[in-house]
Amino acid sequence: MEEALIRVKDLCKIYNPGENEVRALDHVNLEINRGEFVAIIGQSGSGKSTFMNMLGCLDVPTSGEYFLNGTDVSTMEDNELSEVRNREIGFIFQGFNLISNLTAIENVELPLVYRGVDRKTRHRLAVESLTMVGLEKRMDHRPNEMSGGQQQRVAIAGQSQLSRL
Ligand SMILES: Nc1ncnc2c1ncn2[C@@H]1O[C@H](COP(=O)(O)OP(=O)(O)OP(=O)(O)O)[C@@H](O)[C@H]1O
Ligand SMILES: [Mg+2]
């Protein structure tokens, strides 16, 4: 059987270790396979965002293991985690994810700059993916000139092209 895409073992996150400590994650175990759709639900304060921050490599656990696509990311340093975020993870938020002084196409091209893709290829990929999400007429608009859903689609375009590289 294929290795799970996400495999989390005994994951713990303790904020403020010591007297005022908060056990936000207390030995969480989870496997997610390629192609699975998973929703994380739970009451306010139950640790969903904390967990998503771990899965997204935005923060590191206090203890436990996290294998992402076969690689142990639980002990990585900041710079290694940024590399993993750029290569392995797609984040789609409805707001606040786009850079406000860049146009839609510039926002979509930005992660490609960090991947070292040349200017011409960047432009082609960005046009294609913005067209795929129905935003060919909004490519030169800035985020504040677009609806929430349109901004979200810019984010989707930015992510979807990465998987086509
Ligand atoms: N930086 C922090 N320092 C200390 N405690 C924190 C910190 N961040 C979160 N917590 C605590 O950890 C617990 C989990 O918080 P988290 O944000 O993961 O919850 P959540 O499930 O996303 O809640 P919500 O549905 O309200 O967004 C909460 O009790 C919260 O008070
Ligand atoms: Mg939350």
Side-chain angles (χ1 to χ4, degrees), residues 15-16 22-24 42-51:
Y15 292 112
N16 309 325
V22 177
R23 269 179 187 274
Q43 68 184 50
S44 177
S46 61
K48 304 178 296 293
S49 293
T50 303
F51 192 49

Side-chain angles (χ1 to χ4, degrees), residues 33-46:
N33 293 306
R34 199 170 291 278
E36 257 192 294
F37 283 81
V38 175
I40 295 174
I41 57 175
Q43 68 184 50
S44 177
S46 61

Side-chain angles (χ1 to χ4, degrees), residues 72-90:
D72 184 2
V73 294
S74 33
T75 56
M76 280 188 177
E77 304 284 338
D78 263 1
N79 56 340
E80 295 174 289
L81 288 175
S82 338
E83 182 75 20
V84 171
R85 285 197 298 271
N86 182 261
R87 299 214 159 260
E88 302 277 356
I89 300 176

